Amino acid sequence: MLPNTGKLAGATVFITGASRGIGKAIALKAAKDGANIVIAAKTSNAHPKLPGTIYTAAEEIEAAGGKALPCIVDVRDEQQINNAVEQAVKKFGGIDILVNNASAISLTNTLETPMKKVDLMMNVNTRGTYLTSKVCIPYLKKSKIGHILNLSPPLNLDPLWFKQHCAYTIAKYGMSMCVLGMAEEFKDEVAVNALWPKTAIHTAAMDMLGGSGIESQCRKVDIIADAAYSIFKKPKTFTGNFIIDENILKEEGIKNFDAYAIKPGHPLLPDFFLDEFPDTITQKTKSHGAAPQVKEEKPQSKSRSGAVEETFRAVKNSLSDDIVKAIQAVYKFELSGEDGGTWFLDLKNKSGNAGYGEPSDKADVVMHMTTDDFVKMFSGTLKPTTAFMSGKLKIKGNMALAIKLEKLMNQMHAKL
């Protein structure tokens, strides 16, 4: 973990969405230096599913050694932002750092995203970031620190990241475009940077998105807090950067990242918008006319249906009472493409079963993907987490049981 240096003592940090999760973690890190924290969030009353309010966050910040100013702020409301900034300046004398953390997310495709949700994401993510920055910049210009940090991704224009959740991507990239524009516009006056995690971060929102069991594939919010703190220490000339948390902490000398893992040693879920996917990189290489250095899959002559059937036969032959006892779940695969259809893997009854058609019991997990990607996944050339994050695999049902299947596949690869 990155140690505190006391460099933010007396500095005023204005953080949107700081009542919980990443925003609160950044607030607590700065508070340990003795910073003043403006908690600009709309949660004044406890949410039924998400813990924490601006007042409980304020108590934690004060306990950590900082001073807190809780402000009820919906970043879509210009008046509420103006009021919060005025209160901050009146109480603390100015603003040194702005963290645009407030965000709205809906990982749905174009036809499944109601305009109400589109408007919410555009207004919270893009407009909220632009507006809060606009109101804070006159004060940030006067500060020796003068820094804006947006929790947004590098601008990756691979269509892969637009295909499954176009509205969300546009809204998050709007935050990143604010970095691009404002860093240049306010050069030498205010530093403007973006920070994004390399892996999924465990928050209450992630639990809602990923379901039970997702936390074992995540890192703690502390890694983002440490990375943000590292950025705040840099001069105003450090601007216009799209920073990945792990990379900047490596520069700080951190070598062992197990301390940040919820479950050290467990495979981590890569975050959105990062080119961690071999298939994507291969396609990019092809599109630029270069010959990709990737081994051809074998056998090429085999039809997809034959490959799927053979995969299920191999899986069926490798089943045992111990595997069934350990997994206790029924999986259904809805495979699209040539010779696709419904297949099942029963790891709940007797010694297990696998094959074509509907399972005898109701499926605990339903997976939608192409026959091609299914074969790649079971042969080990496509990781299930990679397939899921890139939109190639859609999962309905119990996420914890889906993760159990991934572990089983890792054990089976040698046999398959």
Side-chain angles (χ1 to χ4, degrees):
M1 297 285 185
L2 197 67
N4 280 64
T5 61
K7 287 191 176 180
L8 298 183
T12 299
V13 189
F14 190 107
I15 309 176
T16 65
S19 59
R20 62 175 71 95
I22 288 169
K24 189 179 80 171
I26 294 172
L28 291 171
K29 180 74 178 175
K32 286 174 185 173
D33 270 8
N36 309 315
I37 312 293
V38 184
I39 308 155
K42 62 180 184 176
T43 314
S44 54
N45 297 313
H47 187 283
K49 292 183 181 177
L50 301 170
T53 68
I54 56 173
Y55 305 113
T56 58
E59 287 172 10
E60 289 183 58
I61 287 160
E62 299 268 357
K67 290 179 182 174
L69 175 63
C71 297
I72 298 171
V73 173
D74 183 333
V75 293
R76 295 172 291 178
D77 190 314
E78 189 172 358
Q79 192 57 55
Q80 286 183 18
I81 293 207
N82 280 318
N83 290 346
V85 170
E86 280 178 26
Q87 286 179 56
V89 173
K90 188 177 177 181
K91 180 164 183 174
F92 299 126
I95 295 171
D96 299 286
I97 296 167
L98 165 63
V99 180
N100 286 305
N101 167 69
S103 190
I105 182 169
S106 180
L107 298 175
T108 45
N109 63 35
T110 302
L111 299 181
E112 291 172 353
T113 314
M115 284 314 296
K116 188 178 178 182
K117 283 194 175 178
V118 175
D119 291 341
L120 175 70
M121 288 188 282
M122 300 298 175
N123 287 333
V124 171
N125 300 354
T126 302
R127 185 180 181 275
T129 293
Y130 184 95
L131 171 59
T132 311
S133 300
K134 184 178 189 289
V135 177
C136 288
I137 283 169
Y139 302 101
L140 293 167
K141 279 183 174 185
K142 297 173 187 176
S143 167
K144 286 181 181 178
I145 300 172
H147 205 120
I148 296 173
L149 182 64
N150 294 352
L151 271 296
S152 66
L155 287 163
N156 183 345
L157 296 183
D158 191 314
L160 174 77
W161 299 117
F162 292 83
K163 179 181 170 186
Q164 300 294 337
H165 38 74
C166 189
Y168 173 64
T169 298
I170 292 169
K172 285 307 285 187
Y173 281 12
M175 295 175 73
S176 300
M177 290 169 84
C178 285
V179 170
L180 207 61
M182 292 177 189
E184 197 64 28
E185 185 177 358
F186 301 104
K187 211 168 192 176
D188 301 323
E189 295 181 295
V190 179
V192 188
N193 294 292
L195 175 62
W196 195 246
K198 184 173 182 179
T199 73
I201 302 296
H202 185 235
T203 60
M206 177 56 77
D207 280 339
M208 288 175 70
L209 283 171
S212 173
I214 196 74
E215 68 276 0
S216 61
Q217 297 185 77
C218 299
R219 280 177 172 161
K220 301 170 188 173
V221 289
D222 299 1
I223 191 168
I224 294 287
D226 281 359
Y229 185 80
S230 175
I231 294 164
F232 299 153
K233 294 189 298 174
K234 294 188 178 293
K236 286 185 181 182
T237 50
F238 184 80
T239 189
N241 301 291
F242 292 89
I243 301 142
I244 303 302
D245 57 357
E246 188 176 298
N247 296 349
I248 197 164
L249 291 175
K250 280 179 180 174
E251 289 174 18
E252 289 276 4
I254 292 176
K255 293 173 184 174
N256 185 357
F257 287 83
D258 280 351
Y260 294 115
I262 297 289
K263 193 175 178 182
H266 195 280
L268 295 165
L269 203 60
D271 210 344
F272 293 96
F273 310 117
L274 303 178
D275 278 333
E276 297 290 328
F277 305 111
D279 284 4
T280 309
I281 295 163
T282 301
Q283 286 305 118
K284 279 190 171 182
T285 316
K286 281 180 182 173
S287 69
H288 287 84
Q293 299 299 308
V294 179
K295 290 180 182 177
E296 287 188 356
E297 289 171 43
K298 295 177 182 180
Q300 289 290 332
S301 59
K302 196 177 289 181
S303 71
R304 285 180 182 176
S305 60
V308 172
E309 192 172 349
E310 188 168 307
T311 300
F312 271 100
R313 192 183 299 122
V315 169
K316 192 174 180 179
N317 290 339
S318 66
L319 296 182
S320 67
D321 291 344
D322 288 341
I323 288 173
V324 173
K325 190 177 177 182
I327 305 290
Q328 282 297 290
V330 175
Y331 301 90
K332 185 163 83 168
F333 303 88
E334 296 289 359
L335 305 180
S336 60
E338 190 181 342
D339 297 317
T342 301
W343 297 75
F344 72 92
L345 176 56
D346 184 343
L347 300 176
K348 187 182 274 185
N349 300 298
K350 297 179 182 177
S351 297
N353 197 9
Y356 183 77
E358 293 282 343
S360 55
D361 274 14
K362 185 184 175 185
D364 298 290
V365 182
V366 181
M367 298 186 176
H368 294 259
M369 62 196 313
T370 66
T371 50
D372 224 12
D373 287 333
F374 171 83
V375 173
K376 287 180 186 176
M377 195 169 80
F378 268 85
S379 64
T381 58
L382 175 64
K383 290 182 181 178
T385 47
T386 301
F388 177 67
M389 292 297 283
S390 62
K392 291 181 176 181
L393 167 63
K394 289 187 176 179
I395 300 174
K396 288 183 180 177
N398 189 317
M399 188 62 75
L401 293 176
I403 292 166
K404 270 191 174 185
L405 180 63
E406 180 178 3
K407 290 179 183 175
L408 176 64
M409 278 190 272
N410 290 335
Q411 294 166 15
M412 285 183 168
H413 290 159
K415 296 177 185 177
L416 299 175

